Amino acid sequence: MARIVMKFGGTSMAGIERIRHVASLVKREAERGNEVAVVVSAMAGETDRLVQFCREAASVYDPREYDVVVASGEQVTSGLLAITLQGMGLNARSYMGWQLPIRASGHATGLIEGIDVAVLERVFDAAGIAIIPGFQGVTIDGALATLGRGGSDTSAVALAAAMKADRCDIYTDVDGVYTTDPRIVPKARKLDLVTYEEMLELASVGAKVLQTRSVGLAMRYRLPLQVLSSFEDVPGTMIVDDILGEAHMERNVVTGIAHDRNEARVTLVGLPDRPGAVAAVFGPLAEANINVDMIVQSVPRAGEKSDLTFTVPTASLAHSVAALEGVKADVGFTEILTDTNVVKLSAVGVGMRSNAGIAAKMFATLADRNINILAITTSEIKVSVLIPEEYTELAVRVLHTAYGLDAEDEA
Ligand code: ASP
Ligand code: MG
């Protein structure tokens, strides 16, 4: 017997037909003798619809009331799944966030502070199945709270950690984590195993299968996560702590290629060569809560000026430019250039730790195709380059091949 959290995303819950199918998967897991808690999302599109209602009601709205509105999507699907399971003769019941409770730190983008599992223990003792709405919790004042968009993944992982589950299965509309976006590279392969660290890097650079926060949480509790399809009955991708033994030896050095179009490039022209100039640029950006990622500075000859290039999320570009305009005269750079037609490509893999030449291969492969590199960053398990956006598909494809990730290379 195992203790399992099953989480179903919005497409899996979109309509009674699909909920019935989800119920059959829950039933199967329960009939294997497992203790099962189910976390559900709202039906696909529902949360967007509810958010839009709030916006239409008032351009500036109270986050407490926003939570009351948007948390309702998950309440509906929880109840419907419980009804469906009961109709199949199973002992299932829904428990809202406040009924456990799932304690949240605040409104609209709350963090989970703790989950009381006493109610769930009683459900399992009575051989029952618990259905819990994702995305919602309750504040210290007893008000409904939500956890930020995509928060149901985090609900599921936090619940699994609190109830010391053996596994958390995330059912979604893709059947696992791929070596790259299969829409760009048809030869992309599904990965059997990926580490938390790799998944965090892949998720943060645009491979959006799971909310990044949920992966960090699973890593902290060493909770095995599985991403799998609710539509196809095939094994998914396991996300684990470490990959040991044979599986490790046969694994590629590079696990996946991710791309992220949501970065914009900023270049400050004519930055004076003096201590404190760079600090005077990034200080105001940090204060404005802007996440600077790649940074490149040319080293000037003594006394001359240099250029400073960095990337910020495209959504923060306008704010960044405003903050920079504010310090332009004081710091003494002459121009702010921006470019949103860029993409960040990343090769990710824990195997990089013990292998040289990964970055060199990336640069050579892109050079072969005459693709210019605008900025570079590396970490222990990642090499990222910024390139013109028009080369996205080509670059992903040639790198996928160069690192031996194409499906036919596997034999
Ligand atoms: N329904 C919420 C959203 O769309 C939470 C989730 O599904 O993860 O953001
Ligand atoms: Mg989601």
Side-chain angles (χ1 to χ4, degrees):
M1 186 197 72
R3 195 170 257 209
I4 297 169
V5 171
M6 304 172 80
K7 186 260 168 180
F8 293 91
T11 21
S12 310
M13 300 300 292
I16 299 300
E17 224 21 73
R18 290 189 183 175
I19 291 177
R20 210 166 270 141
H21 177 64
V22 163
S24 73
L25 297 176
V26 173
K27 177 169 189 260
R28 183 172 71 178
E29 209 62 90
E31 282 176 348
R32 286 175 181 151
N34 296 319
E35 293 177 336
V36 180
V38 187
V39 173
V40 294
S41 281
M43 294 191 195
E46 178 65 5
T47 309
D48 287 341
R49 196 175 73 95
L50 296 169
V51 170
Q52 188 54 31
F53 278 142
C54 293
R55 289 196 182 127
E56 282 170 25
S59 55
V60 179
Y61 43 78
D62 179 0
R64 183 188 181 281
E65 304 310 332
Y66 162 92
D67 281 348
V68 169
V69 175
V70 301
S72 66
E74 273 76 5
Q75 175 163 334
V76 170
T77 48
S78 303
L80 289 173
L81 180 58
I83 292 173
T84 309
L85 285 165
Q86 288 169 5
M88 295 162 74
L90 289 150
N91 173 17
R93 217 166 239 315
S94 67
Y95 299 89
M96 299 300 102
W98 56 269
Q99 285 173 301
L100 294 181
I102 297 172
R103 278 173 286 112
S105 63
H107 288 294
T109 52
L111 301 176
I112 296 178
E113 290 185 328
I115 301 179
D116 195 330
V117 294
V119 170
L120 295 179
E121 293 294 350
R122 284 199 294 278
V123 172
F124 295 145
D125 285 347
I129 298 169
I131 321 292
I132 293 125
F135 186 50
Q136 71 162 253
V138 58
T139 66
I140 192 99
D141 318 317
L144 263 174
T146 63
L147 306 173
R149 297 306 307 273
S152 292
D153 294 335
T154 300
S155 302
V157 170
L159 188 74
M163 59 186 242
K164 301 198 164 40
D166 298 289
R167 209 173 69 223
C168 180
D169 288 342
I170 310 272
Y171 287 84
T172 176
D173 51 0
V174 295
D175 61 359
V177 180
Y178 278 73
T179 50
T180 198
D181 186 341
R183 284 167 302 185
I184 295 181
V185 183
K187 287 178 182 171
R189 280 182 296 121
K190 185 167 72 183
L191 294 159
D192 299 331
L193 288 173
V194 59
T195 70
Y196 298 122
E197 278 178 293
E198 289 172 331
M199 193 61 208
L200 280 172
E201 292 286 11
L202 291 169
S204 69
V205 291
K208 297 252 175 322
V209 188
L210 287 177
Q211 196 194 32
T212 314
R213 231 167 104 195
S214 69
V215 183
L217 196 61
M219 177 162 154
R220 181 135 36 101
Y221 289 94
R222 295 175 180 250
L223 177 83
L225 273 184
Q226 182 174 204
V227 174
L228 67 175
S229 166
S230 58
F231 302 106
E232 274 174 274
D233 201 8
V234 292
T237 300
M238 287 296 306
I239 306 169
V240 294
D241 200 22
D242 209 351
I243 293 157
L244 299 167
E246 224 167 293
H248 182 69
M249 290 178 64
E250 293 186 3
R251 221 161 164 259
N252 269 302
V253 175
V254 171
T255 305
I257 312 285
H259 70 280
D260 183 359
R261 296 180 205 261
N262 299 316
E263 292 277 310
R265 180 175 64 100
V266 178
T267 298
L268 305 183
V269 181
L271 193 70
D273 180 29
R274 61 170 166 76
V278 173
V281 167
F282 290 128
L285 293 177
E287 264 161 47
N289 243 319
I290 292 160
N291 232 331
V292 174
D293 183 32
M294 312 176 103
I295 302 174
V296 190
Q297 188 183 18
S298 60
V299 179
R301 269 177 283 182
E304 282 179 19
K305 296 188 167 197
S306 66
D307 290 347
L308 178 65
T309 292
F310 52 90
T311 62
V312 295
T314 308
S316 314
L317 183 61
H319 278 99
S320 306
V321 172
L324 293 165
E325 288 290 356
V327 297
K328 188 172 165 192
D330 275 353
V331 183
F333 54 87
T334 53
E335 228 182 318
I336 304 170
L337 306 176
T338 63
D339 184 1
T340 54
N341 295 323
V342 291
V343 63
K344 182 170 73 172
L345 293 186
S346 305
V348 174
V350 286
M352 284 186 203
R353 286 208 177 98
S354 47
N355 281 274
I358 306 303
K361 179 173 254 175
M362 185 174 224
F363 306 150
T365 305
L366 296 175
D368 265 355
R369 297 299 175 128
N370 248 320
I371 299 171
N372 197 22
I373 297 171
L374 308 169
I376 302 167
T377 51
T378 64
S379 78
E380 250 198 318
I381 65 162
K382 181 181 76 170
V383 184
S384 302
V385 293
L386 193 72
I387 63 166
E389 191 177 12
E390 61 196 283
Y391 295 114
T392 309
E393 280 79 13
L394 174 64
V396 169
R397 235 180 298 125
V398 295
L399 290 174
H400 197 265
T401 304
Y403 288 119
L405 295 173
D406 289 350
E408 64 186 13
D409 291 359
E410 200 188 28

